[in-house]
Amino acid sequence: MHQITGQPGSLPRRRFLQLSGLSGIGLLLGGCGSTLFAEKVGETFEPLNQRLEILLFKPQTPVPEFSPSAIEPDALLVNTFGETPRLNPATFRLIIDGEVNNPLTISMVELRQMPLTSMIIRHVCVEGWAAVVQWGGVRLPDLMRLVQPKNSARYVYFESADGYSESWDLASALHPQTLMAYQKNGQPLPVENGAPLRLASPIKLGYKQSKWVTRITLVNELMPSRGYWEDRGYDWYAGL
Amino acid sequence: MTSTAKRARRQPAPKQATLAKIFHWLNIIGLLLMITSGLQIYNANPVFGGRGGWSFPDLFLLGGGLANGRHWHFAAMWLFSLNLLGLGIYIFTTQRWKQRFVSSGDLKALRVSQNQKRKTYSWHRLVYTAIIPILLLAVLSGIGMYKPAQFPWIVGMFGSWQALRIVHFITVPTVAVFTLVHSLLGLKVGGQRLLRSIFW
């Protein structure tokens, strides 16, 4: 047995001081000064965590999928930063350009003629919620084969009709489950979910999965703007 | 020689290994950072109630917003989890787990002992031993939520995404209650001197 030396009379004040010291640290950390400090923390640890994320990421290994009964139709919440753009699918064109050998402009009709891939995956939002969703569409790697990225291409920018933008690492864009989707849960993609065409993937957080995508541009280096939420402090890699 | 005589009558002050003190301090700091940044993340979409669910007041939050809360959480995770790993290596290489954590003798004392002091001591050891698997569970459920595509089996273990979130969150009230009970039991077992010995 170890020491059993009670001094019951002397406990309250010292304990009180210790507890108030601890809560003082909490107040300090929770105070407004910590926002600036938090950005420093992010700048310091994001590169380290990104290296770990890239290390864990298996570029060509599909993430296990779910059965149709696991689909949660009501769980997928709609997050949009601005207006919902109404695009006419008949005149819609997806542009793929930048560091590619064959820049491409492709219509919905042509996209629908390409092989349709369906997947039932978990869509995970940065806010913490998740939903099992079925997405159907064209695999982005299939589109990449058409445009033939140059060897120098390292990143992919996605431009949306509502002004939203995102950038991805090329390896994630070439993952077999990275889709340009036009179906959700077996139905044509609803406009609030990104019709006529959106990104869908099990390997990135929801904010990486742009809706209403109109242009895909391959680049060598990231531009000053790395994406809507990234420019507002969120992590860029955002891998799952 | 009154001072020597006086010292001889008093029991020696409890002593803690320096490494034990370091692990204890780093665990407190790590948990404080993980909990406050974790509650910041929680508020973005409360586990209970979703959007519109009850959220935690600013006093308990760290980062000022989801993006910075995440930065803090994914920075402090290294301190918290590597400290736990270090503690694990330490208690197994030094065999401390045999002497310093709850034993069958403690469980027996809790059942049959008439000595209240002995029972309190066993409760103390049981409680601080029991928090370790809870902290490990927080790490496991955290990895499952951080990298569900790379570790789908972790999410599978918990059954559903919501169950995973609940288990991860439950760490917070558990640690809060633990801190209170652990402090009170420590005081009851060894008073101020025991308390001081683990900090300084």
Side-chain angles (χ1 to χ4, degrees):
Chain A
M1 290 251 299
H2 301 285
Q3 293 306 312
I4 302 181
T5 51
Q7 290 175 303
S10 68
L11 75 90
R13 188 174 58 182
R14 184 176 285 266
R15 185 70 192 138
F16 172 75
L17 289 174
Q18 282 165 347
L19 285 173
S20 55
L22 277 181
S23 40
I25 297 170
L27 277 174
L28 195 70
L29 292 171
C32 53
S34 75
T35 308
L36 286 172
F37 193 50
E39 283 159 17
K40 282 272 165 279
V41 169
E43 282 166 27
T44 310
F45 280 89
E46 198 187 326
L48 169 74
N49 290 343
Q50 192 175 307
R51 275 201 289 279
L52 173 76
E53 294 188 78
I54 292 169
L55 192 72
L56 291 173
F57 176 56
K58 297 179 278 293
Q60 288 303 313
T61 309
V63 175
E65 297 186 14
F66 296 84
S67 68
S69 62
I71 294 173
E72 301 160 302
D74 301 325
L76 185 72
L77 305 179
V78 172
N79 266 335
T80 301
F81 83 104
E83 303 259 300
T84 299
R86 312 264 158 189
L87 302 177
N88 179 355
T91 56
F92 173 87
R93 296 290 183 276
L94 173 70
I95 299 166
I96 309 178
D97 60 2
E99 294 295 306
V100 295
N101 291 318
N102 300 320
L104 181 74
T105 300
I106 190 167
S107 69
M108 283 312 297
V109 175
E110 290 165 313
L111 281 166
R112 284 173 199 281
Q113 284 163 356
M114 291 181 67
L116 167 67
T117 298
S118 169
M119 63 180 182
I120 303 173
I121 54 117
R122 180 179 281 118
H123 179 98
V124 181
C125 180
V126 67
E127 295 170 344
W129 56 267
V132 176
V133 190
Q134 182 268 344
W135 300 112
V138 179
R139 286 165 16 118
L140 188 54
D142 290 348
L143 287 166
M144 288 295 162
R145 253 191 296 281
L146 292 180
V147 297
Q148 291 175 22
K150 292 178 181 168
N151 287 334
S152 55
R154 289 171 62 208
Y155 302 102
V156 186
Y157 271 80
F158 298 90
E159 208 174 281
S160 297
D162 60 341
Y164 193 80
S165 73
E166 266 304 335
S167 60
W168 286 42
D169 56 296
L170 186 60
S172 295
L174 293 175
H175 186 269
Q177 287 161 308
T178 300
L179 297 191
M180 297 312 297
Y182 52 80
Q183 279 183 358
K184 185 195 99 175
N185 295 341
Q187 302 293 318
L189 187 65
V191 66
E192 65 270 21
N193 294 115
L197 199 63
R198 68 166 292 160
L199 259 170
S201 159
I203 58 163
K204 293 283 190 197
L205 283 172
Y207 66 84
K208 301 300 283 187
Q209 301 174 36
S210 302
K211 303 188 272 192
W212 312 293
V213 175
T214 54
R215 186 172 182 174
I216 301 172
T217 306
L218 281 73
V219 294
N220 307 335
E221 295 295 336
L222 285 173
M223 293 184 270
S225 172
R226 298 180 304 161
Y228 183 82
W229 288 113
E230 290 81 347
D231 295 348
R232 285 154 183 80
Y234 285 79
D235 42 323
W236 171 75
Y237 192 80
L240 287 175
Chain B
M1 284 304 163
T2 46
S3 65
T4 320
K6 208 172 168 184
R7 206 178 299 145
R9 274 203 308 275
R10 287 186 59 171
Q11 285 177 293
K15 263 183 83 76
Q16 309 287 347
T18 307
L19 273 176
K21 290 184 212 176
I22 292 172
F23 287 129
H24 193 253
W25 265 116
L26 292 181
N27 194 46
I28 290 172
I29 297 166
L31 271 172
L32 209 62
L33 293 174
M34 289 307 275
I35 287 175
T36 49
S37 60
L39 293 180
Q40 180 82 64
I41 298 170
Y42 178 102
N43 278 0
N45 183 270
V47 175
F48 301 105
R51 287 176 188 179
W54 187 85
S55 57
F56 287 88
D58 283 353
L59 177 68
F60 300 107
L61 310 182
L62 172 61
L66 176 59
N68 285 334
R70 282 168 55 85
H71 285 316
W72 269 111
H73 208 63
F74 300 140
M77 70 179 182
W78 293 107
L79 170 67
F80 175 65
S81 55
L82 291 179
N83 186 53
L84 264 188
L85 179 68
L87 174 70
I89 293 169
Y90 173 59
I91 62 178
F92 280 101
T93 53
T94 60
Q95 301 282 304
R96 274 175 77 94
W97 63 275
K98 284 184 184 163
Q99 300 104 35
R100 292 294 185 123
F101 292 89
V102 76
S103 63
S104 53
D106 289 310
L107 298 177
K108 194 175 165 216
L110 288 175
R111 279 199 317 274
V112 301
S113 176
Q114 299 297 313
N115 180 345
Q116 194 50 49
K117 275 190 165 178
R118 176 72 178 93
K119 285 184 103 159
T120 308
Y121 175 69
S122 295
W123 271 118
H124 183 47
R125 287 173 35 120
L126 175 66
V127 168
Y128 72 63
T129 305
I131 198 67
I132 291 177
I134 287 165
L135 297 183
L136 291 175
L137 194 63
V139 174
L140 181 72
S141 55
I143 295 172
M145 225 183 293
Y146 187 47
K147 292 282 160 257
Q150 309 308 325
F151 305 104
W153 55 271
I154 298 182
V155 189
M157 273 172 63
F158 291 90
S160 72
W161 187 260
Q162 181 65 8
L164 181 69
R165 289 189 77 189
I166 291 172
V167 169
H168 194 65
F169 168 71
I170 287 293
T171 316
V172 178
T174 309
V175 166
V177 171
F178 166 78
T179 305
L180 190 71
V181 173
H182 179 53
S183 306
L184 293 175
L185 280 172
L187 275 172
K188 220 173 164 190
V189 166
Q192 276 301 311
R193 298 196 327 151
L194 180 61
L195 224 65
R196 232 175 293 143
S197 72
I198 192 65
F199 286 111
W200 314 116

